[in-house]
């Protein structure tokens, strides 16, 4: 949605938008945090409250003046969408492959030769090259490479930015056990549990697709009502 105008609601209004470019529209306060609007993984001039993982970088169209809305090679929209919104679509608006490089692009056209598998907006935010040279480098000494940091929503240059479980206290509480972990808003998580670490595989998923909250996310395991033992593990669902 680009270069549209209206007296009110130019662009989009009263809707849900996923993986969309919403840029260079005029007319009305369509960016306002209207509870009827949810905008996720979109490229737009300003961030809204009702949504996650949006970017404000200009989309860098190939030639917008000539109505060519393909992405330039350095567009922040490359690899910056979410695959979970793509169900049965296998081609982009131009008939080319829809997901190239592992993660869908934001916008109607998929860039066909990405050099990195990571969101270009993410790499640009941290001043990292988008040529693939640092994708699997551990820049902060945490044991996570840049690709893993991106999936988890972490800062790849800051060793204090981590995905970690908080302390789980043993309890016989009949309401179960509340498990908490350091998290990032909008990142989806799976929570797994084991009761015997000597069997294989020890962990099974007890809750999937938990929407992460800024700072800390918690989940109450209501089935953990006896003496245990219980072992928990949290993992991130890749884009």
């Amino acid at each position: 949605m680009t270069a549209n105008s209206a007296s009110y609601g130019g662009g989009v209004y009263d809707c849900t938008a996923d993986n969309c470019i919403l840029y260079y529209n005029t007319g009305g306060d369509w960016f306002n945090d209207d509870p009827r609007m949810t905008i996720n993984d979109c490229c737009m001039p300003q961030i809204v409250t009702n949504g996650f993982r949006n970017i404000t970088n200009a989309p860098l169209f190939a030639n917008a003046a000539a109505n060519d809305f393909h992405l330039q090679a350095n567009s922040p929209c490359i690899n910056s969408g979410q695959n979970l919104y793509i169900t049965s679509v296998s081609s982009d608006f131009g008939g080319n492959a829809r997901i190239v490089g592992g993660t869908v692009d934001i916008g109607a056209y998929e860039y066909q030769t990405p050099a990195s598998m990571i969101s270009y907006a993410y790499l640009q935010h941290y001043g990292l090259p988008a040529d693939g040279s640092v994708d699997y480098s551990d820049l902060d000494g945490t044991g996570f490479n840049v690709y893993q940091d991106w999936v988890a929503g972490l800062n790849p240059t800051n060793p204090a930015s981590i995905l970690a479980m908080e302390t789980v206290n043993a309890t016989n509480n009949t309401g179960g056990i509340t498990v908490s972990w350091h998290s990032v808003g909008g990142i989806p998580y799976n929570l797994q549990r084991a009761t015997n670490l000597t069997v294989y595989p020890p962990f099974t998923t007890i809750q999937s697709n938990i929407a992460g909250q800024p700072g800390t996310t918690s989940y109450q395991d209501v089935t953990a009502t006896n003496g245990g033992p219980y072992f928990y593990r949290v993992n991130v669902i890749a884009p």
Side-chain angles (χ1 to χ4, degrees):
M1 297 293 297
T2 185
N4 298 283
S5 63
S7 58
Y8 188 78
V12 296
Y13 177 73
D14 192 5
C15 69
T16 296
D18 301 318
N19 291 349
C20 297
I21 294 176
L22 312 171
Y23 232 91
Y24 307 122
N25 300 290
T26 59
D29 296 327
W30 65 277
F31 297 115
N32 281 353
D33 294 334
D34 190 316
R36 294 169 293 182
M37 293 179 63
T38 302
I39 299 178
N40 298 314
D41 303 282
C42 290
C43 176
M44 56 192 304
Q46 70 183 64
I47 296 298
V48 295
T49 301
N50 300 322
F52 292 104
R53 300 176 301 270
N54 298 301
I55 63 174
T56 59
N57 318 55
L60 300 184
F61 293 126
N63 190 348
N67 293 325
D68 182 354
F69 300 110
H70 290 84
L71 303 176
Q72 295 182 32
N74 60 338
S75 169
C77 297
I78 297 172
N79 295 340
S80 295
Q82 281 285 321
N83 291 351
L84 62 89
Y85 303 129
I86 306 297
T87 54
S88 60
V89 178
S90 59
S91 59
D92 68 2
F93 194 64
N96 295 309
R98 185 55 181 144
I99 299 179
V100 180
T103 305
V104 68
D105 297 347
I106 296 175
Y109 294 98
E110 186 84 4
Y111 187 73
Q112 296 297 300
T113 55
S116 171
M117 296 182 64
I118 299 174
S119 160
Y120 279 31
Y122 176 89
L123 293 168
Q124 291 166 8
H125 179 74
Y126 291 108
L128 301 176
D131 59 3
S133 61
V134 299
D135 284 15
Y136 301 105
S137 300
D138 179 8
L139 301 181
D140 55 6
T142 61
F144 274 28
N145 60 41
V146 176
Y147 177 83
Q148 293 168 326
D149 281 327
W150 164 59
V151 169
L154 306 178
N155 181 342
T157 64
N158 182 0
S161 180
I162 57 173
L163 171 64
M165 192 81 73
E166 295 187 352
T167 301
V168 178
N169 296 319
T171 178
N172 291 324
N173 185 350
T174 57
I177 296 175
T178 299
V179 183
S180 301
W181 60 93
H182 297 284
S183 58
V184 177
I187 296 291
Y189 299 92
N190 290 335
L191 182 64
Q192 299 181 328
R193 188 185 72 185
T195 56
N196 183 354
L197 296 180
T198 64
V199 301
Y200 184 84
F203 286 92
T204 58
T205 299
I206 61 173
Q207 184 62 47
S208 60
N209 203 27
I210 303 171
Q213 304 302 310
T216 302
T217 296
S218 298
Y219 178 83
Q220 187 172 6
D221 180 7
V222 296
T223 64
T225 56
N226 57 36
Y230 298 105
F231 307 91
Y232 292 95
R233 182 170 69 180
V234 63
N235 60 46
V236 180
I237 302 174

